[in-house]
Amino acid sequence: MKSLLFFSILLLSFPLTALAFQTETYGWEATDTVLGIYGNGIASIEDTSPVYNGAQSLKFEESPLGGTPQAYVSWIQNLNDGDTVAASFWVYDDTPGSTYPSGRIWGHWNDDPSDPTVYDGTASGNEDFSPGAGWSLLEWEWTVADGHTGLMVEGRIYSSTEYDTIWFDDLTIIAPDGATILFPDYVVSLERNSWGAIKASF
Ligand SMILES: [Ca+2]
């Protein structure tokens, strides 16, 4: 009995460091679209169709045609080497196979917590395009290295015709507890996560 009690205490005293992750989601149910855009992308709220979940999604179209427009959908800050960040979102693409438009999940480093336009190099991502049978899930996991502290998650559109359009919904981010996860409504997230640190950086 004594040894059982000791064993129970031993189990309870192990910190759950391996599980110290936070999960946050964003579904474009309010008015905020993106944290920023690179290239010829136009972001707006879709309130009719297609919507994956809830009443709204993010509509992302390309105009004029050129380059690979990127919608900045989440910014994860306060990262350290060895941290892992996982992101996923649903993409609506109804042109099957390799026919454009197609979506992709990608990322780049931004280590300046006060400026969402800073680019500190590619973080790569999932090489797969959305398959084009309607809604599909794209996901990727990054491991932080080389002293980077901020990761910007991109929703990309690959397009062949002006006004090609894809839609995003139900974004999920899983990051270490110590990180700050920012969504397009980031002022609210900042207040919730680390208002003091944010006030210091703006
Ligand atoms: Ca939604």
Side-chain angles (χ1 to χ4, degrees), residues 27 29 53 56 169:
E29 295 300 305
N53 193 20
Q56 299 184 160
D169 207 352

Side-chain angles (χ1 to χ4, degrees), residues 77-161:
Q77 301 179 341
N78 298 320
L79 295 169
N80 299 293
D81 277 10
D83 284 352
T84 57
V85 177
S88 66
F89 50 57
W90 289 82
V91 184
Y92 186 89
D93 156 16
D94 62 358
T95 51
S98 56
T99 308
Y100 287 168
S102 291
R104 186 180 262 184
I105 189 167
W106 208 255
H108 66 267
W109 305 112
N110 176 345
D111 303 328
D112 180 346
S114 65
D115 184 353
T117 69
V118 168
Y119 180 84
D120 288 315
T122 185
S124 300
N126 190 333
E127 303 276 348
D128 293 341
F129 292 111
S130 52
W135 287 106
S136 61
L137 185 71
L138 291 180
E139 53 194 331
W140 193 246
E141 182 179 282
W142 293 266
T143 299
V144 180
D146 301 325
H148 289 298
T149 57
L151 173 70
M152 190 70 87
V153 178
E154 311 163 6
R156 291 185 160 202
I157 180 171
Y158 291 79
S159 178
S160 57
T161 308

